[in-house]
Amino acid sequence: MRIPTKKPSLQPQLNKACKQSDKRSNGDVNPKDFILFGKGDFTVQSTWKDNTGEKDYLEDTAFPTLTFPSDHGILATVLEPISPDSCEG
């Protein structure tokens, strides 16, 4: 998931503000979110990213928006234990 760190100038974090036209060239859009687990412990049932609040991700969309008021995207996954012992610490 790429998260732009430069904000529109109306955001309170003015140190991250930039012109809309400069956001892609000056912003940090590197992956920031990881879900780590042992390969032998779980299987992945589903994974999704969301920047809309509707389990959808719109590429190259600056956020927060009026409908998604966070400046962090959502990364979610559903895991299933491979065996009952893999849930015990």
Side-chain angles (χ1 to χ4, degrees):
M1 180 181 300
R2 298 174 303 169
I3 308 294
T5 57
K6 294 296 180 184
K7 309 292 180 195
S9 57
L10 296 177
Q11 290 294 313
Q13 298 175 351
L14 294 177
N15 60 319
K16 296 181 181 178
C18 69
K19 293 179 184 176
Q20 178 73 20
S21 59
D22 295 337
K23 187 171 47 178
R24 292 294 293 165
S25 61
N26 293 339
D28 178 4
V29 293
N30 295 306
K32 302 276 190 289
D33 300 304
F34 303 93
I35 299 173
L36 304 175
F37 56 91
K39 186 175 184 177
D41 295 331
F42 298 94
T43 58
V44 175
Q45 299 301 304
S46 61
T47 299
W48 67 93
K49 56 186 181 177
D50 184 354
N51 64 356
T52 65
E54 307 270 331
K55 289 189 177 179
D56 193 18
Y57 191 84
L58 304 175
E59 293 291 339
D60 298 322
T61 298
F63 46 92
T65 66
L66 293 176
T67 58
F68 191 80
S70 176
D71 64 347
H72 295 269
I74 298 168
L75 176 63
T77 195
V78 175
L79 301 174
E80 184 169 318
I82 291 176
S83 71
D85 295 335
S86 58
C87 289
E88 297 175 10

